[in-house]
Amino acid sequence: MDVYRAESVAIMELVRGLAGEAVEQVSVDEAYLEVTEQVGGEGGHDEMIRRAVPMAEAIKAAVRRERGLAATIGVGPNKLTAKIASSSFKPDGLTVVLESGKAAYLRPLPAGAIHGVGKVTEAALARAGLVTVGDIQDCQDDLRAYVGSWWGELRRMAFGEDDRPLDFSDDIRSVSSENTFARDTADRAVLRGCLREQAEEIAGRLQRHRLAAVTVQVKVRYSDFTTLTRQVSMEEALEDASSIYRLSCWLLGRHRLVARPLRLIGVGVTGLRAVTMRQLVLPFMETRR
DNA sequence: TCTGGGGTCCTAGGACCC
DNA sequence: TCTGGGGTCCTAGGACCC
């Protein structure tokens, strides 16, 4: 995994060198680039998009030359269209969607092509008779009953409308660790050992990011795939493995979650905040006594 | 496919307060 | 003592993404 991470860092460096710093990295192998400034603001949207194509070609060539890998790139007027364009020809594709052609480009695609439409929403849309993005474009009804309050935005997206800005923040909202057992178990020693390791892993990640957490959550899954979570919030944020471990044990006991064997056990923390000076100083003072 | 792991965001319901 | 409504916070579950 570290190999992937290192490769990802190298490629993102390469991309920044060619396209500028406006890069939103979504995962190890995916990023959005905002290149409006580089291509210049003159001309219509279509002209600007066409001027971005040579840059996309240069990035593809550099990634192949310097990292020996194929990159797939979608060029479009916004994140939605660029994302869909990039997934249309993998690997090694370069797909361009113009502002003037975006609605037509999306029409024949399945509804699930839209970012945020997963299995459940796709099935709900199909029940309403909407299978393709074109069906959504043509639908005049209010389908909030099927897909919830998201309907208005979904309909705009079906036409390729998307004004989400790139998100450059690297804020972490939660940290978690979980394990699925090869065989379901209710063995307390096994479960405690697992929780301890997970708590240590989480504490390590928190400390690397200088974060502490207010809320600790445990997650269990049984043989029938029933999955439960239980959480507890503290007044003071905590960051050490033993506190996270103790609270997760307490949650398991308090809610009697190990009444039957577990297939999965996990721990997570949320309500993250920067570690304060006092929290940094306290353990130090204790060790000096 | 009898289902891995690490995330984000949204929603519904309950507790609590005024 | 029971009752109403609104706001806020917390909890739990689920949809979705990579």
Side-chain angles (χ1 to χ4, degrees), chain A residues 161-288:
Chain A
E161 301 296 328
D162 174 23
D163 54 9
R164 288 172 300 161
L166 264 61
D167 180 2
F168 304 124
S169 72
D170 53 359
D171 294 351
I172 300 170
R173 297 211 156 49
S174 66
V175 176
S176 65
S177 172
E178 62 186 56
N179 277 93
T180 299
F181 300 114
R183 285 175 54 195
D184 301 357
T185 181
D187 185 322
R188 298 299 195 274
V190 170
L191 296 175
R192 271 198 287 268
C194 202
L195 283 181
R196 198 180 288 280
E197 273 180 29
Q198 291 168 343
E200 278 165 10
E201 195 188 320
I202 290 166
R205 272 188 264 165
L206 285 178
Q207 278 152 25
R208 250 170 277 140
H209 293 282
R210 304 230 181 288
L211 291 170
V214 168
T215 304
V216 174
Q217 181 182 73
V218 293
K219 172 176 173 179
V220 297
R221 176 171 292 155
Y222 302 104
S223 56
D224 63 355
F225 220 69
T226 304
T227 307
L228 302 179
T229 61
R230 292 293 181 268
Q231 66 184 57
V232 61
S233 297
M234 306 283 106
E235 274 184 30
E236 297 261 324
L238 49 91
E239 42 160 343
D240 61 298
S242 63
S243 299
I244 297 170
Y245 168 72
R246 276 202 311 275
L247 282 170
S248 39
C249 287
W250 180 79
L251 280 166
L252 282 186
R254 158 149 199 219
H255 297 283
R256 306 197 183 288
L257 297 176
V258 198
R260 15 178 201 141
L262 303 186
R263 169 168 301 181
L264 171 151
I265 193 163
V267 185
V269 295
T270 56
L272 305 186
R273 46 208 59 183
V275 173
T276 64
M277 282 310 284
R278 200 170 61 82
Q279 284 165 320
L280 281 172
V281 165
L282 261 178
F284 176 64
M285 288 169 67
E286 281 168 4
T287 56
R288 279 173 61 108

Side-chain angles (χ1 to χ4, degrees), chain A residues 11-249:
Chain A
I11 291 176
M12 291 304 159
E13 281 291 302
L14 200 57
V15 168
R16 285 193 173 87
L18 291 164
E21 290 299 314
V23 176
E24 174 188 342
Q25 187 166 356
V26 183
S27 65
V28 270
D29 66 349
E30 197 172 311
Y32 291 104
L33 318 179
E34 165 72 72
V35 298
T36 307
E37 249 178 57
Q38 288 89 324
V39 300
E42 311 88 47
H45 281 123
D46 287 358
E47 271 313 301
M48 292 166 67
I49 291 166
R50 284 197 186 97
R51 287 203 296 273
V53 175
M55 186 185 295
E57 285 165 344
I59 291 170
K60 279 174 65 69
V63 171
R64 177 166 294 285
R65 187 176 61 243
E66 296 187 28
R67 310 308 309 177
L69 291 169
T72 305
I73 300 184
V75 184
N78 52 40
K79 290 167 80 168
L80 172 83
T81 46
K83 161 87 180 158
I84 293 177
S86 77
S87 43
S88 65
F89 285 104
K90 275 188 177 176
D92 209 16
L94 173 53
T95 306
V96 180
V97 177
L98 296 179
E99 168 70 22
S100 60
K102 60 186 185 183
Y105 176 80
L106 295 174
R107 266 195 89 76
L109 301 179
I114 295 176
H115 197 78
V117 177
K119 267 191 199 162
V120 175
T121 307
E122 200 168 17
L125 288 169
R127 264 181 269 124
L130 312 186
V131 177
T132 66
V133 177
D135 292 338
I136 300 174
Q137 290 178 0
D138 297 339
C139 178
Q140 303 293 328
D141 303 332
D142 183 343
L143 290 196
R144 271 180 292 187
Y146 286 83
V147 300
S149 61
W150 194 45
W151 171 241
E153 197 189 335
L154 176 59
R155 187 121 195 293
R156 282 192 297 280
M157 286 176 122
F159 286 96
E161 301 296 328
D162 174 23
D163 54 9
R164 288 172 300 161
L166 264 61
D167 180 2
F168 304 124
S169 72
D170 53 359
D171 294 351
I172 300 170
R173 297 211 156 49
S174 66
V175 176
S176 65
S177 172
E178 62 186 56
N179 277 93
T180 299
F181 300 114
R183 285 175 54 195
D184 301 357
T185 181
D187 185 322
R188 298 299 195 274
V190 170
L191 296 175
R192 271 198 287 268
C194 202
L195 283 181
R196 198 180 288 280
E197 273 180 29
Q198 291 168 343
E200 278 165 10
E201 195 188 320
I202 290 166
R205 272 188 264 165
L206 285 178
Q207 278 152 25
R208 250 170 277 140
H209 293 282
R210 304 230 181 288
L211 291 170
V214 168
T215 304
V216 174
Q217 181 182 73
V218 293
K219 172 176 173 179
V220 297
R221 176 171 292 155
Y222 302 104
S223 56
D224 63 355
F225 220 69
T226 304
T227 307
L228 302 179
T229 61
R230 292 293 181 268
Q231 66 184 57
V232 61
S233 297
M234 306 283 106
E235 274 184 30
E236 297 261 324
L238 49 91
E239 42 160 343
D240 61 298
S242 63
S243 299
I244 297 170
Y245 168 72
R246 276 202 311 275
L247 282 170
S248 39
C249 287

